Amino acid sequence: MVSGRGRFASALSGFRFAAISVRQWRMTITADAVQNSSFAAFDPRRSFQGLILALQRFWAEAGCVILQPYDMEVGAATFHPATILRALGPKPWRAAYVQPSRRPKDGRYGENPNRLQHYYQFQVVLKPSPENLQDLYLGSLAAIGVDTHLHDIRFVEDDWESPTLGAWGLGWECWCDGMEVSQFTYFQQVAGIECAPVAGELTYGLERLAMYVQGVENVYDLNFNGREGAEKISYGDVFKQAEQEYSRHNFEAANVETLFQHFKDAELECKALLGLGAGGERHRMVLPAYDQCIKASHIFNLLDARGVISVTERQSYILRVRELAKSCGKAWLKTEAGGAG
Amino acid sequence: MSDFLLELFSEEIPARMQTQAADDLKRLVTGALTEQGLSFEGAVSFATPRRLALHIAGLPERQQDRREVKKGPRVGAPEAAVQGFLKSAGLASLSEARIEVEPKKGEFYVAVIEKPGRGTAELLAEILPGLLKSFPWPKSMRWGAASAASEALRWVRPLHSIVATFGPETEETEIVGFSLDGIAAGNRTYGHRFMAPGEFSVRRFDDYVSALEKAKVVLDPARRRDIILFDAQSLAYAQGLELVVDMALLEEVAGLVEWPVVLMGEFDAAFLAIPPEVIRATIRANQKCFVLRDPETGGLANKFILTANIVASDGGQAIAAGNGRVVRARLSDAKFFYDTDLQVKLEDRLAKLDDIIFHEKLGSQGERVKRLVLLAGKIAPLIGADVAAAERAAKLAKADLTSEMVGEFPELQGLMGKYYALAQGEPEVIAQAIEDHYKPQGPNDRIPTDPVAIAVALADKFDTLTGFFAIDEKPTGSKDPFALRRAALGIIRLILENELRLHIPQVSAEAFAGYARMSETIPARRLKAMLDDEDSDEEDLDRLIAGGPWAWEFTREPEVTALAAARRYLAVRFSGEGEPSEADLPAFDDLFAILTPYQELRDLQLVYDGERSDDVANVSGEALDLACERFAAARTDLLSQIMGFFADRLKVHLRDQGSRHDLIDAVFSLDGQDDLFLIVRRVEALGRFLDMDDGRNLLAGYRRAANILRAEEKKAGAEEAKSYLDAFEPAYFVAEEERDLAAALLAAATAAIHAVAEEDFEAAMQALSHLRAPVDAFFEKVTVNSEDKALRLNRLRLLSGLRAAVHKVADFSKIAG
C-alpha cells in the first residue's frame, strides 16, 4: 500500500489532490497528529479553510467547475449568475464555489455567537440534477469528516422560495444531529421560468458546518488556518472587526437618500441595458443587466436594515427586483449559454 | 387467489404528506381494480420517509369472462341502422348476429359479444402508469435529465425504483411489467439509507416486511409511533420523569425515520427560567424533540427526547450531544429574546404596531388596537365586565406582536403578552385577558369565562368580521382566507357557553363605527394625498373609491367621466412616459366635491348614526343629506349581511350539536332574531314541546288551518288574500265551536305574547297548547268554505288569527315531518 503520507506530501508540492482518497488522507492526519504541521491547514475538522478546500476538492472530482466568488454583494450564493442564470435553459452545467453572502439585517455588532451580516456559503449546482445527488451530498459530508455511522443525517422537508428571484424549488434542509448544515433544492422555477431540465442545488452554511466539525460554540472561535498557539488565526481575528464596522454601517450610517437613489439608478440601468442588448435574434447584454439586478437587491436589503422600508413598501420593492430578475432570465434564454439556437 | 405488492421507493417524502399519500395509493389502486370487476379480500398501505407500499390480498388471477348481449334493430330496418348496430357490436356482417323474436314486436337482431377476462397482472400493468402519473401529491416536482420534457413524471421527490409483484400466496410471484418514465417495475428494493443500503429482492408482502425489518426499516408508521412512544416513556421513567405526550409531533417524528432510535439529551437547567411554553415551542418546532416533565416540581425537566434514525456506533452519544448543543443554542436565543422583550413595557410597544399592516384596506395593527379599546369598552357593560379593565386589556392585547419571541414563534402570541403583562405588574385578570382574547382558536379550544377576557375576545372577533365584511372579503365556498367562519363560531360559543345576552347588529354597528372613526378612512384627505404623491397610480384611486360607502356615487354620470379623467391623469404621471394632461385635473375637484361630505360626516362621527345633524353647518345641506342616507343604507345592508352570516354559522353549530335543522329555521324566520342565546333557548323549548302530545296535536291543527289558508290565498287575488289577515268579527260566528276557538285564541295569544316578552318560551308554548281541543272541535264541526261569503271570510280570518298566534312562538310552517 502506498503510504498516504507520502502521496499527500507529493500532492502538496504539486497541488494535485485529486488522486488521493479522502479516507486514506484522513487516516494520515490522525496518525500524524502533528499540531502545527502544514497538514492541519487542510484538515476540514481543524481549519475553516480546510473545510472549504475539502469541499472544493470533492466537487471538483464530481466534475464541477470550481469557480471563485462573484465580485458583487449578494444575499445568497444562489444570486451568483453561475446558479441563477445557468439554471435556465437546456445546457448541462456543473459548478461549485464559495460565495460571501451579505444579510445586512443579521448584523449583531460581532456580539452574537451565531449571527453574522457577512458569512460564507458553499454552493454546488448541477444541471440536470444527477440520479445520485443525495449520495454525492453524503459523500461530501464524509469528505469533511462526518461519519454517517456515528452521526444522524436527515433530510427534512424544506421547500425553498425566493420572492426576489421569482424562483422556487422542492427539497430539504439537511440535518446532522439535529443541526441544519445544508439546503438541498431541486429548482423548479427560476426568474419565473420553468426549469427544463431541473438543476439540483446544494448550499452549505460554512460557518455552521465548521462550528460543528470543529466542536466550537462561538463562530468567532473557529480556527481559520488550522495552526495552534501563536500561529493560530481565528475567524474572529479575520472578521470580528468587519462585523462591528458593517453593523454600524448597515444599521446607523448608510445614507438612506443615496441608497434610494442607487436603487432607482440600478433599476433604470438594468432596464436600459436589457433594452440596448435586445433587438436581434440573440440578446447581447444580459450579464451586465443582471449585475444591476443584484445591485438593486442588495441596496434593498440595506434599506431594509436601516428600517426605512414599511411593510407595504417592502412588498413593492421585492416585486420590483423580481421584475428585473424575470426580465434578465427571459433575455438569458436568448443567449448562447442560455441555449438559444 | 393472488396477492399484489407495490412499493414506490423515492427520496425523502415530507413527513406531513406520508399518511395521506398511503391512503391515496390504496384508494386509487383498489378503486381502479374494482372498476375492472376485480374484487379482493383486503388492502393495506404504508409509508416511510423513503417509500410508499401497498399490499392487496386475495385478488383473482383473471377477470371473469364476460358475455354481453346487445339488442339491435328490427329485421328489415333501414341500412343505416343496421350498419350502426354492426359497428357498435363489433360484427363484420349480419350473419354473425342472431335473430330473436319478441312477442307482439317482431324479430330483432341480437349480437352476443364474448369478452374473455383479462389477467389481473396485465390489467395492473395497464392501470398503474396513468394512476401514478396523476398521483395527487399536494406538491410535486420534476427532476433529472427527463425534466427537460414538460410531460416528465412528477413525484413528491425523485422516484428511484418500483417493486410490483403479483402471484399466488405460496408460489413464486411474477413482476407486473410496466415502466414509469424510464423506471421499470421489478422486484428489487433497498434497505435503510445508512445501516443497510444494499439491494435485495422480494416476492410478496410477507417476505417484503421481514426483509425490510432485517434491513433496518420498520414499514408500518403505527409501529414506528408505538416504538417511539414506548421507548420515550421508558427512558423518561428510568429518570423519574414524564414524557409530555404530543401526538402531532409523534406523527411527524415517525415520518422522519425508518428505524427509530430514541435517545435522551440535556440542556442547562438555568434555561428553565424561560416560560415552559417557550421551551416546548423551541424544542418542538426547531428540533422536533419531546420535552419532559418533572413530577416532583410539576414543571419541565432540563432533559428532552430525540428520535434518531440510526443505531450509532457509539451508542448515540455523539448524536445526543450534537442535539443537545443545538437545543442549547436555540434556548439561548429564546432566552435572549425573552430577556430582551422584558426590557420593554407593553405600552411602549404600541407605537410599533402602526407599522404592522393588519390588512391593506383595514389599516394597521395600531389602528386596530384603538378600535379594540373602543369596542371592548362598549361591550364590557353589556356583559358585566369592568370597563376600565377591558379597555386596558384591549390596549395591551396586541402589543406582544412586536416582541422578539412572537416574531420567532407566532403561535405564542397572546401567551407571551400574558407573561410580559405579569412581569410589568399588570393585574392577573388583564394578563389572562391578553392571552385569552384569541380564544377559542378551534373547536376544542378553551372558552374564556372571565368577563374582561370575554369582552376583549368578542371585540377582537367582531372587529375582524365587521372589517372584512365592510371591504367585501366574505368567505365563499371552501375559501375563507381570513378565518371569518372561525371568528363567527368563536363569538357564538363565547355567547352561548357564557349565556351572554347580546344583539349581534348592535355590537357589529359599534365595530363598524370604530372603523369609520379611523383616520385612514378619511376619503377626501386621501385623495388629496394621492394627487400630491408622484408614486400614486390609478390603482390607488380605484382602491380608495371601492373602499367606502361612497362607492355607489361613482357608478353613474357625470362622476364616471370624472373618475376616468382622474385615473388617466394618475396613470400617465406614474408611468413617467409623457406629461399628464392638465385638462384632466379639474376632475379631482369633482371627486373632492363628492367625498367631502363623507369626510365631514366622519369628522363629526355622524357616520355611526347615519343621521344629519345640525352641527354640520358648513357643508352643502343636500349633499350631506344624501350622503347620510346612503351611508345609513350601506350600514344597514352590512349589518344584515353580518346577521345573516351569524344565522348560517349558528345553524351549522346547532346542527353539529344535534339540534333539528327545521326547528332552527322555524325560530330564525321570526322577525328580529338577533340574540343568539335567546334563539337557542327558543329552539330547545320548541324541540321539547314538539316531543309532547300537545305539541304534536297543535302542529297538526296549525297545519290544517295553514293549508286551508294557503289554498284559499292562492285562489283569491292578492287584495282579497290580504283581507284574511284582518281581525275576525264575533257577530258572524254561528257555531259554538267558532266562539270557543275565538275565545281560546285570544286567551292563548295574549298569554303567549306575554310569556315571550318574559322570555319564557316553555310557558308560551304551554299557552298555545290549550288551543288543541278547540281547534280539533272546530275542524270537526265547522265548514270553513261556507256558501255564505261573509261567514266564510270570517272563518278564514279566524284561522289566520290562529296562524298568527302560533307564529308568536315560532314559524310552524318551517317544521318538517
Side-chain angles (χ1 to χ4, degrees):
Chain A
M1 185 183 143
V2 182
S3 138
R5 185 179 180 183
R7 288 190 55 177
F8 189 57
S10 69
L12 247 189
S13 60
F15 287 99
R16 289 189 309 270
F17 303 111
I20 187 166
S21 93
V22 169
R23 188 175 294 272
Q24 279 174 331
W25 168 72
R26 262 173 40 214
M27 283 165 49
T28 313
I29 296 294
T30 16
D32 278 359
V34 178
Q35 277 214 327
N36 275 347
S37 75
S38 58
F39 308 134
F42 299 99
D43 184 343
R45 292 165 304 166
R46 287 174 59 181
S47 76
F48 189 64
Q49 62 205 37
L51 180 74
I52 293 173
L53 293 168
L55 284 172
Q56 285 187 339
R57 196 161 41 232
F58 179 88
W59 287 106
E61 279 185 51
C64 290
V65 292
I66 302 298
L67 294 174
Q68 300 307 315
Y70 203 57
D71 58 343
M72 293 186 67
E73 299 121 319
V74 296
T78 310
F79 275 86
H80 197 309
T83 292
I84 213 69
L85 293 179
R86 295 279 178 175
L88 290 170
K91 289 196 166 182
W93 176 249
R94 290 190 161 204
Y97 54 90
V98 175
Q99 180 63 49
S101 304
R102 303 217 192 197
R103 307 253 165 108
K105 239 182 161 171
D106 280 352
R108 292 293 183 273
Y109 296 85
E111 279 163 21
N112 185 298
N114 294 303
R115 258 181 229 248
L116 302 164
Q117 57 83 41
H118 169 285
Y119 66 103
Y120 285 113
Q121 290 186 335
F122 190 88
Q123 173 88 348
V124 182
V125 58
L126 304 165
K127 184 176 80 170
S129 64
E131 174 87 10
N132 62 344
L133 187 53
Q134 279 188 312
D135 292 334
L136 280 172
Y137 171 70
L138 293 171
S140 75
L141 290 188
I144 56 172
V146 176
D147 179 354
T148 53
H149 290 96
L150 189 62
H151 296 287
D152 186 28
I153 310 295
R154 228 76 78 67
F155 294 92
V156 181
E157 177 191 16
D158 188 32
D159 298 339
W160 170 83
E161 189 182 12
S162 167
T164 28
L165 288 174
W168 68 274
L170 299 190
W172 311 273
E173 47 183 52
C174 307
W175 285 16
C176 176
D177 297 341
M179 186 174 67
E180 183 194 342
V181 290
S182 316
Q183 284 280 337
F184 191 131
T185 306
Y186 291 101
F187 283 153
Q188 301 294 301
Q189 203 183 69
V190 165
I193 299 164
E194 292 289 310
C195 297
V198 161
E201 181 206 48
L202 302 172
T203 306
Y204 305 74
L206 284 176
E207 284 81 357
R208 213 188 255 198
L209 196 52
M211 284 165 73
Y212 192 81
V213 293
Q214 289 189 27
V216 163
E217 307 241 343
N218 186 326
V219 66
Y220 296 109
D221 294 339
L222 280 174
N223 189 331
F224 210 109
N225 64 348
R227 302 286 169 138
E228 296 299 334
E231 287 179 46
K232 173 180 165 181
I233 296 177
S234 73
Y235 194 90
D237 294 333
V238 182
F239 282 119
K240 192 155 189 167
Q241 183 184 330
E243 282 298 314
Q244 293 161 344
E245 292 188 4
Y246 277 105
S247 293
R248 273 170 225 137
H249 168 260
N250 300 342
F251 292 123
E252 303 161 34
N255 184 312
V256 173
E257 289 298 309
T258 322
L259 286 173
F260 275 122
Q261 189 56 48
H262 285 346
F263 184 92
K264 279 187 192 160
D265 291 345
E267 186 183 31
L268 280 177
E269 183 75 353
C270 179
K271 288 179 180 166
L273 293 175
L274 284 173
L276 288 170
E281 286 275 293
R282 295 285 181 90
H283 200 286
R284 294 158 49 238
M285 225 158 8
V286 182
L287 288 163
Y290 179 65
D291 281 354
Q292 299 300 319
C293 169
I294 296 181
K295 207 170 260 181
S297 171
H298 177 65
I299 294 166
F300 162 70
N301 287 339
L302 276 172
L303 284 166
D304 200 21
R306 291 286 275 118
V308 292
I309 293 191
S310 75
V311 184
T312 30
E313 283 174 322
R314 220 182 118 74
Q315 193 52 29
S316 99
Y317 273 97
I318 288 174
L319 287 176
R320 281 161 77 177
V321 179
R322 171 153 79 211
E323 281 316 306
L324 300 181
K326 277 184 166 178
S327 306
C328 291
K330 221 179 266 173
W332 173 259
L333 293 182
K334 291 188 175 175
T335 67
E336 192 190 338
Chain B
M1 288 289 118
S2 292
D3 294 349
F4 172 56
L5 170 66
L6 178 67
E7 183 203 62
L8 299 146
F9 181 78
S10 68
E11 298 178 11
E12 276 75 356
I13 306 167
R16 67 188 169 92
M17 300 178 188
Q18 291 169 17
T19 308
Q20 183 66 42
D23 289 349
D24 285 341
L25 184 65
K26 183 168 98 176
R27 178 177 54 81
L28 292 171
V29 177
T30 57
L33 288 173
T34 308
E35 211 169 89
Q36 294 292 332
L38 291 164
S39 58
F40 52 90
E41 283 162 11
V44 277
S45 61
F46 304 95
T48 79
R50 296 172 82 201
R51 56 199 98 217
L52 289 183
L54 171 67
H55 166 56
I56 304 180
L59 275 165
E61 265 172 69
R62 325 187 56 78
Q63 285 174 310
Q64 293 213 313
D65 293 344
R66 276 184 296 183
R67 188 160 180 271
E68 199 181 314
V69 178
K70 200 174 185 117
K71 195 175 154 193
R74 192 189 299 274
V75 172
E79 184 59 18
V82 172
Q83 287 304 324
F85 165 61
L86 291 178
K87 199 173 168 197
S88 73
L91 302 185
S93 74
L94 279 178
S95 59
E96 292 172 19
R98 285 204 321 237
I99 293 175
E100 280 184 8
V101 182
E102 277 189 33
K104 289 186 193 168
K105 286 186 181 166
E107 292 180 324
F108 286 88
Y109 290 112
V110 169
V112 179
I113 308 158
E114 302 280 355
K115 277 194 178 163
R118 296 174 62 197
T120 304
E122 180 194 343
L123 273 171
L124 279 166
E126 199 174 284
I127 294 165
L128 286 169
L131 187 151
L132 295 173
K133 270 184 189 161
S134 56
F135 196 81
W137 290 109
K139 261 185 184 174
S140 62
M141 56 166 278
R142 299 166 296 118
W143 66 93
S147 60
S150 58
E151 68 277 14
L153 173 66
R154 301 184 71 94
W155 202 247
V156 64
R157 291 293 183 276
L159 180 69
H160 281 279
S161 65
I162 301 172
V163 169
T165 66
F166 181 79
E169 288 151 66
T170 48
E171 291 158 41
E172 272 306 313
T173 53
E174 60 173 312
I175 290 169
V176 176
F178 70 95
S179 97
L180 203 57
D181 232 26
I183 304 166
N187 62 357
R188 302 185 72 71
T189 187
Y190 305 84
H192 187 278
R193 182 187 281 289
F194 300 109
M195 290 192 287
E199 197 184 6
F200 53 89
S201 67
V202 295
R203 274 178 303 190
R204 62 176 59 76
F205 186 64
D206 289 348
D207 69 78
Y208 170 70
V209 172
S210 55
L212 279 181
E213 196 89 19
K214 250 178 246 158
K216 304 291 183 198
V217 175
V218 180
L219 181 66
D220 185 352
R223 250 199 80 212
R224 295 196 301 273
R225 282 198 294 275
D226 290 347
I227 292 171
I228 296 168
L229 190 58
F230 180 82
D231 289 356
Q233 280 170 335
S234 313
L235 261 183
Y237 182 75
Q239 301 271 332
L241 301 173
E242 284 167 9
L243 182 75
V244 177
V245 178
D246 181 335
M247 294 314 282
L249 178 62
L250 180 63
E251 165 128 14
E252 185 180 8
V253 170
L256 289 171
V257 293
E258 290 205 307
W259 191 261
V261 176
V262 175
L263 299 167
M264 188 178 284
E266 201 176 343
F267 56 86
D268 191 337
F271 287 124
L272 293 175
I274 312 172
E277 293 90 347
V278 172
I279 296 181
R280 187 173 168 193
T282 304
I283 291 185
R284 179 192 205 278
N286 295 318
Q287 297 310 122
K288 321 248 186 252
C289 293
F290 297 89
V291 291
L292 298 165
R293 196 183 294 116
D294 183 345
E296 279 185 15
T297 64
L300 291 184
N302 65 326
K303 302 248 167 56
F304 64 93
I305 292 284
L306 69 108
T307 312
N309 189 34
I310 58 162
V311 179
S313 49
D314 67 345
Q317 282 178 32
I319 297 173
N323 274 277
R325 269 178 59 188
V326 186
V327 165
R328 220 153 43 234
R330 295 288 192 177
L331 286 179
S332 66
D333 273 354
K335 182 159 173 18
F336 176 76
F337 293 150
Y338 185 59
D339 291 343
T340 312
D341 286 346
L342 285 174
Q343 314 274 313
V344 184
K345 287 203 146 200
L346 289 175
E347 45 266 74
D348 295 339
R349 297 185 172 279
L350 294 179
K352 265 197 185 170
L353 289 175
D354 292 339
D355 299 333
I356 302 177
I357 296 291
F358 167 49
H359 180 277
E360 186 196 351
K361 288 186 190 168
L362 298 179
S364 69
Q365 291 283 7
E367 288 170 301
R368 185 153 180 243
V369 166
K370 290 184 194 118
R371 291 195 304 271
L372 291 184
V373 172
L374 284 173
L375 189 52
K378 293 277 186 192
I379 293 174
L382 301 177
I383 61 168
D386 181 74
V387 174
E391 286 178 347
R392 174 76 180 159
K395 185 176 178 184
L396 303 181
K398 304 288 178 193
D400 66 355
L401 291 180
T402 70
S403 69
E404 300 276 343
M405 194 64 88
V406 174
E408 198 71 10
F409 300 109
E411 72 267 28
L412 295 182
Q413 65 180 12
L415 183 75
M416 293 324 297
K418 177 179 86 173
Y419 277 111
Y420 300 144
L422 288 174
Q424 72 181 41
E426 296 293 331
E428 173 76 31
V429 63
I430 286 178
Q432 195 58 49
I434 292 173
E435 178 186 359
D436 285 356
H437 87 279
Y438 289 106
K439 293 183 185 303
Q441 296 272 31
N444 302 317
D445 199 11
R446 175 168 62 84
I447 298 281
T449 52
D450 180 84
V452 173
I454 297 170
V456 188
L458 285 173
D460 188 46
K461 291 166 184 66
F462 268 107
D463 180 75
T464 304
L465 260 181
T466 311
F468 284 102
F469 265 73
I471 58 167
D472 206 22
E473 287 281 2
K474 297 185 273 281
T476 50
S478 61
K479 287 207 186 86
D480 184 11
F482 304 107
L484 302 186
R485 290 193 182 110
R486 191 172 76 190
L489 183 60
I491 292 173
I492 289 171
R493 290 185 56 208
L494 280 162
I495 288 178
L496 296 185
E497 294 183 29
N498 289 301
E499 307 196 347
L500 304 178
R501 304 295 306 279
L502 288 174
H503 296 284
I504 298 291
Q506 184 195 343
V507 184
S508 307
E510 294 287 2
F512 186 53
Y515 277 102
R517 281 171 206 180
M518 289 302 128
S519 59
E520 243 52 28
T521 57
I522 300 174
R525 208 173 294 166
R526 272 170 68 197
L527 183 66
K528 174 97 177 32
M530 218 173 274
L531 188 56
D532 294 342
D533 179 8
E534 300 246 328
D535 279 340
S536 298
D537 64 6
E538 74 276 20
E539 285 169 18
D540 295 324
L541 181 60
D542 291 344
R543 273 194 288 273
L544 169 64
I545 297 300
W550 44 82
W552 68 276
E553 302 253 23
F554 297 90
T555 54
R556 39 147 219 223
E557 291 297 345
E559 287 78 7
V560 171
T561 309
L563 186 56
R567 287 185 93 256
R568 190 162 56 231
Y569 184 89
L570 292 176
V572 174
R573 190 183 64 179
F574 183 76
S575 72
E577 292 158 14
E579 281 293 305
S581 162
E582 293 277 327
D584 287 336
L585 265 177
F588 284 92
D589 291 335
D590 296 341
L591 300 191
F592 279 128
I594 296 159
L595 292 177
T596 301
Y598 288 97
Q599 165 115 27
E600 296 288 340
L601 273 175
R602 196 217 62 79
D603 286 350
L604 291 162
Q605 300 187 358
L606 288 173
V607 278
Y608 171 34
D609 299 321
E611 284 163 12
R612 175 87 161 82
S613 160
D614 292 336
D615 297 343
V616 190
N618 53 351
V619 182
S620 135
E622 201 183 324
L624 186 56
D625 281 343
L626 198 55
C628 283
E629 194 183 301
R630 292 293 168 166
F631 204 105
R635 192 176 66 119
T636 306
D637 179 47
L638 174 76
L639 298 185
S640 77
Q641 283 179 35
I642 291 175
M643 191 56 229
F645 186 63
F646 270 101
D648 288 344
R649 298 333 294 167
L650 181 63
K651 281 182 203 169
V652 172
H653 178 66
L654 292 178
R655 235 177 347 198
D656 290 350
Q657 308 267 306
S659 294
R660 272 170 58 182
H661 189 229
D662 54 332
L663 302 190
I664 304 168
D665 281 341
V667 173
F668 262 114
S669 323
L670 303 178
D671 279 342
Q673 294 303 307
D674 60 10
D675 179 328
L676 303 182
F677 179 65
L678 270 198
I679 291 170
V680 173
R681 282 215 358 232
R682 199 187 280 237
V683 169
E684 286 166 357
L686 187 58
R688 282 193 295 273
F689 182 56
L690 290 173
D691 278 344
M692 297 186 297
D693 278 345
D694 278 349
R696 275 191 291 270
N697 287 325
L698 179 68
L699 178 62
Y702 164 86
R703 282 203 175 130
R704 217 161 146 187
N707 286 343
I708 293 172
L709 275 171
R710 195 160 44 237
E712 296 303 317
E713 279 165 348
K714 215 171 173 184
K715 270 188 263 169
E719 204 51 34
E720 195 191 328
K722 221 170 149 193
S723 71
Y724 300 164
L725 300 178
D726 294 342
F728 50 80
E729 188 60 59
Y732 287 107
F733 289 144
V734 181
E736 196 61 29
E737 288 77 10
E738 282 179 277
R739 278 190 202 95
D740 287 350
L741 178 57
L745 199 53
L746 283 175
T750 312
I753 290 169
H754 189 68
V756 166
E758 297 274 301
E759 298 174 0
D760 186 348
F761 302 113
E762 313 268 323
M765 290 179 204
Q766 193 59 42
L768 288 179
S769 73
H770 295 315
L771 289 170
R772 178 196 159 183
V775 166
D776 286 354
F778 176 86
F779 280 121
E780 200 168 305
K781 293 280 161 57
V782 181
T783 310
V784 175
N785 275 326
S786 164
E787 295 289 313
D788 185 331
K789 283 198 171 167
L791 290 188
R792 175 175 166 275
L793 178 62
N794 202 47
R795 284 168 188 166
L796 286 171
R797 283 176 176 169
L798 183 57
L799 293 184
S800 163
L802 170 67
R803 183 171 64 180
V806 172
H807 281 194
K808 297 290 177 212
V809 173
D811 182 348
F812 273 46
S813 71
K814 302 283 185 198
I815 295 171

